[in-house]
Amino acid sequence: MTVKGPDGEPRCGWCGSIPEFFDYHDNEWGYPVDDDIRLFEKLCLESFQSGLSWRTILTKRDNFRAAFADFDFNRMAEFGAAEVERLLQDKGIVRHRGKIEAVINNAKRAQELVGQEGSLAAFFWRFEPREEDLPEPQTVSTSPESVALSKALKKQGWKFVGPTTAFAFMQAMGLINDHAHGCVFRKKAEQARQRFIRPYH
């Protein structure tokens, strides 16, 4: 299913919900990312989205960045009880104690993971599925790979990183190209994936 974008070209159907989705879809969603801060940010935001809509999170993204030190996990790892209380008073973000404490915990786990793997990117990209194993775009909300990623993160002490959260993360960060077949940006995302140098050895 597709919808017409502002230029009349077809986009993935979910873009039709709000105008802000077009820019996010066209310029971010599905393009491969190897920057650790961006990867960590996305996983945090997907954790906050759990039980909510992406619309809610996207419209608050700048507020989240301001509140969470631009998702620099080395800075976030230093957050303590005072920061948790400050964040619970911040009307610009989702004020959920469990999720706030989870992403601060995950910042510490991210530091550990970088120590083990060299980078978050090197770890995450090992879970990229084979193209021939992918289902039709946007027909599933989990995959064997997202289940495996979720289990691996939980084993290392990460929180709020279930298989659905992991799958949405993989879609957005380009580990899979889940643009609809009729979407004008599917080819662009695929070309970016072909040029992308995988960050593991």
Side-chain angles (χ1 to χ4, degrees):
M1 177 186 165
T2 59
V3 295
K4 281 187 179 181
D7 57 2
E9 296 288 348
R11 306 291 202 281
C12 293
W14 56 265
C15 289
S17 302
I18 56 168
E20 291 89 339
F21 277 171
F22 284 110
D23 181 63
Y24 173 70
H25 169 274
D26 294 358
N27 297 302
E28 294 185 55
W29 195 76
Y31 297 104
V33 173
D34 62 2
D35 178 86
D36 278 7
I37 299 297
R38 283 191 61 199
L39 291 165
F40 182 72
E41 173 187 278
K42 184 59 178 172
L43 200 53
C44 289
L45 292 176
E46 290 295 347
S47 298
F48 272 105
Q49 188 199 337
S50 180
L52 302 170
S53 71
W54 177 240
R55 174 181 187 169
T56 299
I57 303 304
L58 185 61
T59 56
K60 293 176 179 284
R61 184 164 64 169
D62 287 343
N63 298 334
F64 274 106
R65 287 171 173 166
F68 286 96
D70 287 323
F71 290 99
D72 179 338
F73 49 85
N74 290 310
R75 292 167 64 192
M76 281 179 60
E78 302 298 321
F79 284 15
E83 282 79 15
V84 172
E85 293 309 314
R86 169 180 64 81
L87 292 163
L88 285 169
Q89 303 304 315
D90 190 335
K91 295 178 181 178
I93 65 169
V94 174
R95 294 180 290 176
H96 183 294
R97 181 182 290 274
K99 292 177 180 180
I100 290 169
E101 291 178 343
V103 297
I104 294 171
N105 164 78
N106 292 350
K108 298 180 175 73
R109 306 291 81 79
Q111 286 182 316
E112 294 166 0
L113 194 53
V114 170
Q116 295 165 20
E117 304 287 342
S119 70
L120 297 183
F123 173 78
F124 288 132
W125 275 91
R126 290 198 190 107
F127 293 87
E128 178 186 13
R130 297 186 310 167
E131 197 165 335
E132 56 267 33
D133 293 337
L134 294 174
E136 282 294 299
Q138 300 173 42
T139 58
V140 300
S141 59
T142 64
S143 68
E145 293 80 14
S146 79
V147 170
L149 174 56
S150 173
K151 283 183 178 178
L153 289 170
K154 287 179 179 178
K155 188 176 180 181
Q156 298 195 36
W158 293 60
K159 298 177 180 177
F160 272 93
V161 286
T164 303
T165 293
F167 187 76
F169 165 81
M170 294 170 81
Q171 286 175 302
M173 297 288 97
L175 278 81
I176 59 174
N177 182 359
D178 219 29
H179 283 275
H181 284 300
C183 174
V184 71
F185 280 87
R186 181 174 177 84
K187 184 178 180 181
K188 188 176 179 182
E190 193 51 47
Q191 288 171 340
R193 282 177 39 78
Q194 289 172 6
R195 292 191 302 268
F196 183 68
I197 299 171
R198 271 57 179 171
Y200 52 79
H201 303 289

